Amino acid sequence: MVIETRSPEETRSFARKLGEKAVPGTIYTLDGDLGTGKTVFAKGLAEGLGVTEPVSSPTFTIVQEYLSGRIPFYHFDVYRIEEPEEMEEVGYDDYFYGGGVCLIEWADMVRDIIPKGAIHVTIEKDPDKGFDYRRITIEDTGN
Ligand code: ADP
Ligand code: MG
């Protein structure tokens, strides 16, 4: 599925709707260049899950947990990961298989450990279509 947005609010509200429908165990991967809107998307998803704490990029930690919503929300940012062992150290599988909703920013960097059935989200700009244009591609790899 491909959707196009033309403002951060639109991206956020699209993600919010996904969050409202998300079920425990859902894993979203989120890829896209710097400044495409991954954090905007994460905020919307969290909102849809009912998370009340402010959500920011987990810059200094690999994973940030938010437990105030309907389902636990585990927000990964693996940008700084250099080797897969670092994910082991974080105990990533407890999160992936722990009954919450996971969102993994820059997931492509740890693609080998992403479970089958994850929902792959990619955000792209298109300079020809304006500064605020984003194309969001959702690929549900099913079970
Ligand atoms: P990332 O986490 O991918 O580095 P951010 O979410 O932090 O990116 O920032 C995205 C920036 O792009 C924000 O400043 C946001 O306001 C802006 N923006 C403009 N148009 C859009 C859009 N359609 N969707 C999402 N963000 C947008
Ligand atoms: Mg970000």
Side-chain angles (χ1 to χ4, degrees), residues 77-89:
D77 186 330
V78 301
Y79 186 65
R80 280 181 189 76
I81 290 228
E82 279 164 20
E83 24 200 73
E85 288 72 36
E86 291 178 54
M87 285 298 276
E88 307 283 349
E89 284 160 23

PDB file of all heavy atoms in Angstrom, residues 77-89:
ATOM      1  N   ASP A  77      15.672   2.784  17.885  1.00  0.00           N
ATOM      2  CA  ASP A  77      16.390   3.532  16.864  1.00  0.00           C
ATOM      3  C   ASP A  77      17.762   2.892  16.770  1.00  0.00           C
ATOM      4  O   ASP A  77      18.587   3.022  17.682  1.00  0.00           O
ATOM      5  CB  ASP A  77      16.508   5.013  17.251  1.00  0.00           C
ATOM      6  CG  ASP A  77      17.129   5.836  16.133  1.00  0.00           C
ATOM      7  OD1 ASP A  77      17.947   5.278  15.361  1.00  0.00           O
ATOM      8  OD2 ASP A  77      16.815   7.030  16.030  1.00  0.00           O
ATOM      9  N   VAL A  78      17.994   2.176  15.700  1.00  0.00           N
ATOM     10  CA  VAL A  78      19.211   1.365  15.616  1.00  0.00           C
ATOM     11  C   VAL A  78      20.274   2.023  14.739  1.00  0.00           C
ATOM     12  O   VAL A  78      21.224   1.374  14.297  1.00  0.00           O
ATOM     13  CB  VAL A  78      18.880  -0.073  15.119  1.00  0.00           C
ATOM     14  CG1 VAL A  78      17.899  -0.737  16.073  1.00  0.00           C
ATOM     15  CG2 VAL A  78      18.309  -0.081  13.711  1.00  0.00           C
ATOM     16  N   TYR A  79      20.115   3.300  14.526  1.00  0.00           N
ATOM     17  CA  TYR A  79      21.021   4.044  13.648  1.00  0.00           C
ATOM     18  C   TYR A  79      22.487   3.858  14.014  1.00  0.00           C
ATOM     19  O   TYR A  79      23.345   3.745  13.151  1.00  0.00           O
ATOM     20  CB  TYR A  79      20.662   5.536  13.699  1.00  0.00           C
ATOM     21  CG  TYR A  79      21.442   6.381  12.736  1.00  0.00           C
ATOM     22  CD1 TYR A  79      21.282   6.207  11.360  1.00  0.00           C
ATOM     23  CD2 TYR A  79      22.349   7.342  13.179  1.00  0.00           C
ATOM     24  CE1 TYR A  79      21.992   6.978  10.463  1.00  0.00           C
ATOM     25  CE2 TYR A  79      23.065   8.115  12.283  1.00  0.00           C
ATOM     26  CZ  TYR A  79      22.888   7.929  10.927  1.00  0.00           C
ATOM     27  OH  TYR A  79      23.596   8.694  10.043  1.00  0.00           O
ATOM     28  N   ARG A  80      22.769   3.832  15.301  1.00  0.00           N
ATOM     29  CA  ARG A  80      24.169   3.788  15.723  1.00  0.00           C
ATOM     30  C   ARG A  80      24.719   2.382  15.934  1.00  0.00           C
ATOM     31  O   ARG A  80      25.852   2.210  16.358  1.00  0.00           O
ATOM     32  CB  ARG A  80      24.350   4.609  17.000  1.00  0.00           C
ATOM     33  CG  ARG A  80      24.427   6.066  16.676  1.00  0.00           C
ATOM     34  CD  ARG A  80      24.629   6.941  17.874  1.00  0.00           C
ATOM     35  NE  ARG A  80      24.476   8.315  17.467  1.00  0.00           N
ATOM     36  CZ  ARG A  80      23.311   8.900  17.215  1.00  0.00           C
ATOM     37  NH1 ARG A  80      22.190   8.210  17.363  1.00  0.00           N
ATOM     38  NH2 ARG A  80      23.249  10.154  16.818  1.00  0.00           N
ATOM     39  N   ILE A  81      23.910   1.409  15.647  1.00  0.00           N
ATOM     40  CA  ILE A  81      24.364   0.025  15.837  1.00  0.00           C
ATOM     41  C   ILE A  81      25.435  -0.333  14.828  1.00  0.00           C
ATOM     42  O   ILE A  81      25.309  -0.012  13.647  1.00  0.00           O
ATOM     43  CB  ILE A  81      23.158  -0.937  15.701  1.00  0.00           C
ATOM     44  CG1 ILE A  81      22.275  -0.746  16.906  1.00  0.00           C
ATOM     45  CG2 ILE A  81      23.615  -2.359  15.501  1.00  0.00           C
ATOM     46  CD1 ILE A  81      21.856  -1.995  17.570  1.00  0.00           C
ATOM     47  N   GLU A  82      26.493  -0.951  15.296  1.00  0.00           N
ATOM     48  CA  GLU A  82      27.553  -1.327  14.370  1.00  0.00           C
ATOM     49  C   GLU A  82      27.578  -2.820  14.092  1.00  0.00           C
ATOM     50  O   GLU A  82      27.987  -3.251  13.038  1.00  0.00           O
ATOM     51  CB  GLU A  82      28.905  -0.833  14.877  1.00  0.00           C
ATOM     52  CG  GLU A  82      29.077   0.640  14.516  1.00  0.00           C
ATOM     53  CD  GLU A  82      30.186   1.320  15.278  1.00  0.00           C
ATOM     54  OE1 GLU A  82      31.071   0.603  15.792  1.00  0.00           O
ATOM     55  OE2 GLU A  82      30.157   2.561  15.348  1.00  0.00           O
ATOM     56  N   GLU A  83      27.180  -3.603  15.082  1.00  0.00           N
ATOM     57  CA  GLU A  83      27.111  -5.029  14.832  1.00  0.00           C
ATOM     58  C   GLU A  83      25.891  -5.629  15.519  1.00  0.00           C
ATOM     59  O   GLU A  83      25.434  -5.126  16.544  1.00  0.00           O
ATOM     60  CB  GLU A  83      28.376  -5.744  15.271  1.00  0.00           C
ATOM     61  CG  GLU A  83      29.148  -5.016  16.341  1.00  0.00           C
ATOM     62  CD  GLU A  83      30.576  -5.466  16.409  1.00  0.00           C
ATOM     63  OE1 GLU A  83      31.349  -5.112  15.490  1.00  0.00           O
ATOM     64  OE2 GLU A  83      30.881  -6.207  17.359  1.00  0.00           O
ATOM     65  N   PRO A  84      25.379  -6.707  14.951  1.00  0.00           N
ATOM     66  CA  PRO A  84      24.143  -7.317  15.436  1.00  0.00           C
ATOM     67  C   PRO A  84      24.209  -7.685  16.924  1.00  0.00           C
ATOM     68  O   PRO A  84      23.195  -7.696  17.608  1.00  0.00           O
ATOM     69  CB  PRO A  84      23.997  -8.577  14.589  1.00  0.00           C
ATOM     70  CG  PRO A  84      24.854  -8.365  13.387  1.00  0.00           C
ATOM     71  CD  PRO A  84      25.916  -7.388  13.773  1.00  0.00           C
ATOM     72  N   GLU A  85      25.428  -7.965  17.416  1.00  0.00           N
ATOM     73  CA  GLU A  85      25.575  -8.338  18.831  1.00  0.00           C
ATOM     74  C   GLU A  85      25.014  -7.263  19.759  1.00  0.00           C
ATOM     75  O   GLU A  85      24.553  -7.559  20.854  1.00  0.00           O
ATOM     76  CB  GLU A  85      27.048  -8.564  19.187  1.00  0.00           C
ATOM     77  CG  GLU A  85      27.656  -9.835  18.620  1.00  0.00           C
ATOM     78  CD  GLU A  85      27.875  -9.782  17.121  1.00  0.00           C
ATOM     79  OE1 GLU A  85      28.215  -8.703  16.614  1.00  0.00           O
ATOM     80  OE2 GLU A  85      27.684 -10.812  16.447  1.00  0.00           O
ATOM     81  N   GLU A  86      25.052  -6.022  19.305  1.00  0.00           N
ATOM     82  CA  GLU A  86      24.529  -4.949  20.159  1.00  0.00           C
ATOM     83  C   GLU A  86      23.032  -5.108  20.387  1.00  0.00           C
ATOM     84  O   GLU A  86      22.510  -4.720  21.416  1.00  0.00           O
ATOM     85  CB  GLU A  86      24.830  -3.576  19.538  1.00  0.00           C
ATOM     86  CG  GLU A  86      26.301  -3.232  19.567  1.00  0.00           C
ATOM     87  CD  GLU A  86      26.586  -1.892  18.898  1.00  0.00           C
ATOM     88  OE1 GLU A  86      25.967  -0.887  19.288  1.00  0.00           O
ATOM     89  OE2 GLU A  86      27.406  -1.872  17.962  1.00  0.00           O
ATOM     90  N   MET A  87      22.361  -5.678  19.417  1.00  0.00           N
ATOM     91  CA  MET A  87      20.933  -5.937  19.585  1.00  0.00           C
ATOM     92  C   MET A  87      20.716  -7.067  20.591  1.00  0.00           C
ATOM     93  O   MET A  87      19.775  -7.048  21.373  1.00  0.00           O
ATOM     94  CB  MET A  87      20.279  -6.277  18.240  1.00  0.00           C
ATOM     95  CG  MET A  87      20.078  -5.092  17.331  1.00  0.00           C
ATOM     96  SD  MET A  87      18.968  -3.828  18.018  1.00  0.00           S
ATOM     97  CE  MET A  87      17.358  -4.467  17.564  1.00  0.00           C
ATOM     98  N   GLU A  88      21.619  -8.037  20.578  1.00  0.00           N
ATOM     99  CA  GLU A  88      21.551  -9.118  21.565  1.00  0.00           C
ATOM    100  C   GLU A  88      21.683  -8.544  22.975  1.00  0.00           C
ATOM    101  O   GLU A  88      20.945  -8.909  23.879  1.00  0.00           O
ATOM    102  CB  GLU A  88      22.688 -10.136  21.355  1.00  0.00           C
ATOM    103  CG  GLU A  88      22.814 -10.709  19.965  1.00  0.00           C
ATOM    104  CD  GLU A  88      21.767 -11.777  19.651  1.00  0.00           C
ATOM    105  OE1 GLU A  88      21.071 -12.224  20.585  1.00  0.00           O
ATOM    106  OE2 GLU A  88      21.662 -12.134  18.457  1.00  0.00           O
ATOM    107  N   GLU A  89      22.631  -7.628  23.115  1.00  0.00           N
ATOM    108  CA  GLU A  89      22.875  -7.026  24.428  1.00  0.00           C
ATOM    109  C   GLU A  89      21.652  -6.289  24.962  1.00  0.00           C
ATOM    110  O   GLU A  89      21.399  -6.257  26.156  1.00  0.00           O
ATOM    111  CB  GLU A  89      24.077  -6.065  24.362  1.00  0.00           C
ATOM    112  CG  GLU A  89      25.402  -6.799  24.330  1.00  0.00           C
ATOM    113  CD  GLU A  89      26.539  -5.947  23.779  1.00  0.00           C
ATOM    114  OE1 GLU A  89      26.433  -4.709  23.823  1.00  0.00           O
ATOM    115  OE2 GLU A  89      27.527  -6.539  23.290  1.00  0.00           O
TER     116      GLU A  89
END
